[in-house]
């Protein structure tokens, strides 16, 4: 085996494993800190769960499509790599819930589906369910403890219906998971903390809402020209972000190797040796930004306890079915799309009306109407073994029942996201903390990505930056001391 330590400049060498948004953001940050960087991507394409595509000539995201702009990291990354003028607020954020056969406007006045009062969800829930929500005020306080499943906690205080018809479809959209298993501490940390301080869940929701209302406008995206929008997209697709970050990485002297999976990781002196099928790279630091099972395999011989913890992280698989219809063939479709409570037993879990949600989709193909459905969530992967035609047919059936749509599409694309979203069940954050502790004795090695610090793109970018900063601190000499430390830039 030849160890390849060559590179364009001298200086510490960092290898980043994984060319999703996490790995790319980590590579960019390490270069800015002064490291030489090689990024290894197993596949032929960069971007991971971000994928810009097209249907019937219209550009559309076939993977992740929306950036949370309330958090700064993803919007700031887009701006830093020259996409600032392509950031767009959604054309509409008015969504519906397809519940008991009706499209009901998505209620406002809740935190991830947990209402601040029964009136906020009156249009969606039964009279009995609304009464049950009110009982929260009469129940003795129940501490969420160190962690609790959000569904179980909310059902105990406010009844099952609000969980099944609101919390579940909302969280399902984020995690493709099961609200009765998802960690409240990980998924809704502000509500979790508030629930520990307040005697009722209602009071906790109101405290979170009040804190949100107090966020200065520029922290909510106003400074970016997004007009305070909570979410942002990119003209051309969020899937164009990885390519722009990759360009920035290459422009800063970084090396990106696609079709180059990391297959082994060994300690070599004070550093690391990263094995790929065709070459071996010596590195002073390694950021593991591939999915958790891959990190687990690479760490198996080095840190068996961490490997076992990471290997136990479960993933949900799902498919996105993207349709192009002739606009003239469709009935009026409301807002940005709709969510589907799994309790109603339909196949699709959500539909996004891309041509309405993102003006650039509609403007690129004004005669077409592009929409997507999603199928599958954790524990319900059976549908994903069906043919594309079955997924298209099942989606059309549900779309017809929900909206009255009866037209035939002019084009369809099925995108399967096997192991698309890591699950955050109760205890997940402790598991991740234990894995990181188990790796603490391995200097210059960090984990980053969707499995650890949040699944959303801003959380992935933040995770990447933390990992990059930490290894930069360890391997890059500061001008003052000549010793490693504080080498990162912002
Ligand atoms: C269908 C779908 C829709 C989503 N929608 C949104 C959304 O709208 N907004 C949002 O914020 N988030 C969304 N998410 C979540 C978000 O997109 C992901 O959590 C995030 O993109 C994950 O980024 P990552 O870089 O951590 O991991 P990944 O994107 O999984 O990237 C990991 C990379 O590592 C590579 N790799 C694997 N093994 C190796 C190896 N041995 N060596 C080298 N490379 C390897 C993979 O090929 C992959 O490219 C969505 C996710 C899915 C699946």
């Amino acid at each position: 085996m030849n160890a390849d330590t060559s590179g364009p400049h001298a200086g510490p060498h960092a290898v980043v494993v994984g060319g999703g948004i996490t790995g790319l953001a980590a590579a960019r940050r390490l270069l800015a800190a002064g490291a030489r960087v090689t990024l290894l991507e197993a596949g032929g394409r960069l971007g991971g769960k971000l994928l810009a595509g097209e249907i019937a000539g219209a550009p559309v995201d076939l993977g992740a499509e929306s950036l949370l702009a309330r958090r700064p990291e993803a919007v700031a990354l887009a701006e830093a790599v020259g996409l600032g003028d392509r950031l767009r607020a959604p054309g509409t954020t008015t969504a519906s819930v397809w519940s008991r056969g009706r499209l009901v406007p998505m209620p406002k006045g809740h935190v991830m589906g947990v209402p601040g009062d029964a009136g906020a969800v009156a249009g969606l829930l039964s009279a009995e369910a609304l009464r049950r929500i009110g009982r929260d005020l009469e129940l003795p306080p129940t501490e969420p403890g160190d962690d609790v499943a959000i569904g179980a906690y909310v059902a105990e205080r406010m009844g099952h219906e609000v969980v099944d018809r609101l919390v579940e479809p909302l969280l399902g959209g984020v995690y493709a998971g099961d609200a009765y298993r998802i960690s409240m501490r990980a998924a809704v940390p502000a509500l979790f903390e508030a629930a520990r301080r307040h005697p009722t869940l209602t009071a906790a929701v109101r405290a979170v809402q009040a804190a949100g209302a107090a966020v200065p406008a520029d922290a909510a995206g106003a400074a970016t020209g997004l007009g305070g929008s909570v979410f942002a997209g990119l003209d051309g697709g969020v899937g164009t972000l990885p390519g722009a970050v990759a360009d920035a990485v290459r422009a800063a002297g970084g090396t990106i190797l696609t079709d180059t999976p990391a297959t082994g990781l060994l300690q070599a002196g004070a550093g690391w040796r990263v094995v790929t099928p065709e070459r071996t790279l010596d590195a002073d630091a390694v950021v593991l930004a591939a999915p958790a099972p891959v990190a687990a395999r690479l760490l198996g011989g080095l840190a068996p306890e961490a490997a076992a913890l990471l290997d136990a992280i479960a993933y949900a698989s799902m498919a996105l079915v993207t349709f192009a219809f002739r606009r003239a063939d469709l009935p009026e479709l409301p807002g940005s799309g709709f969510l589907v409570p799994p309790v109603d037993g339909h196949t699709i879990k959500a539909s996004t009306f891309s041509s309405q949600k993102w003006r650039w989709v509609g403007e690129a193909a004004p005669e077409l109407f592009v929409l997507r459905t999603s199928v599958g969530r954790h524990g319900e992967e059976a549908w994903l073994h069906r043919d594309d035609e079955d997924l298209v047919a099942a989606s059309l059936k549900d779309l017809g029942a929900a909206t009255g749509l009866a037209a035939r599409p002019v084009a369809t694309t099925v995108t399967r996201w096997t192991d698309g979203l890591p699950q955050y069940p109760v205890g997940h954050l402790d598991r991740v903390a234990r894995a990181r502790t188990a790796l603490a004795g391995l200097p210059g090695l960090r984990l980053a990505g969707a499995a650890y610090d949040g699944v959303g793109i801003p959380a992935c970018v933040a995770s990447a930056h933390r990992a990059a900063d930490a290894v930069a601190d360890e391997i890059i000499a500061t001008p003052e001391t000549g010793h490693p430390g504080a080498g990162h830039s912002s």
Side-chain angles (χ1 to χ4, degrees), residues 219-482:
T224 64
L226 291 168
S229 175
V230 174
F231 292 101
L234 283 169
D235 186 342
V238 161
T240 60
L241 180 59
V245 182
D247 288 347
V249 166
R250 292 191 192 98
T255 302
I256 295 179
L257 303 174
T258 52
D259 294 312
T260 308
T263 53
L265 180 63
L266 309 164
Q267 274 190 299
W272 296 95
R273 190 156 283 181
V274 185
V275 182
T276 80
E278 287 182 3
R279 68 184 90 191
T280 296
L281 296 102
D282 280 339
D284 301 289
V286 176
V287 174
L288 293 178
V294 176
R297 275 201 299 283
L298 293 172
L299 292 168
L302 287 164
E305 186 195 343
L309 288 162
L310 300 185
D311 203 35
I313 295 176
Y315 279 72
S317 297
M318 74 281 305
L320 296 181
V321 187
T322 306
F323 294 87
F325 294 93
R326 262 183 298 275
R327 194 177 273 268
D329 293 347
L330 295 193
E332 184 88 359
L333 297 176
S336 61
F338 61 89
L339 302 177
V340 186
V343 69
D344 279 345
H346 302 298
T347 304
I348 66 173
K349 297 293 174 277
S351 180
T352 303
F353 303 153
S354 309
S355 285
Q356 272 165 195
K357 183 168 180 184
W358 303 115
R359 286 203 187 90
W360 52 270
V361 177
E363 285 163 10
E367 75 292 356
L368 295 179
F369 193 98
V370 178
L371 63 80
R372 320 189 317 185
T373 62
S374 60
V375 178
R377 64 173 189 150
H378 186 232
E380 285 179 26
E381 277 86 6
W383 265 100
L384 303 183
H385 303 302
R386 308 277 284 263
D387 291 343
D388 286 5
E389 298 78 62
D390 287 352
L391 292 173
V392 168
S395 293
L396 282 173
K397 178 167 168 277
D398 282 353
L399 284 167
T403 69
L405 177 157
R408 303 303 304 167
V410 295
T412 60
T413 298
V414 175
T415 315
R416 287 161 198 276
W417 291 105
T418 304
D419 295 338
L421 281 162
Q423 298 300 290
Y424 279 59
V426 174
H428 180 79
L429 297 181
D430 285 340
R431 167 184 300 279
V432 170
R434 291 211 310 279
R436 286 190 162 130
T437 302
L439 294 176
L442 300 174
L445 181 73
R446 289 293 186 286
L447 300 168
Y452 313 116
D453 305 308
V455 297
I457 296 165
C460 290
V461 174
S463 177
H465 288 176
R466 267 197 303 278
D469 291 351
V471 296
D473 274 348
E474 291 181 31
I475 65 170
I476 294 172
T478 60
E480 295 81 32
T481 65

Side-chain angles (χ1 to χ4, degrees), residues 18 20-22 40-42 48-50 64-66 261-262 294 417 450 455-457:
I21 196 63
T22 303
L40 307 178
E41 164 54 46
K49 309 305 186 295
L50 279 62
E65 50 126 37
S66 176
V294 176
W417 291 105
V455 297
I457 296 165

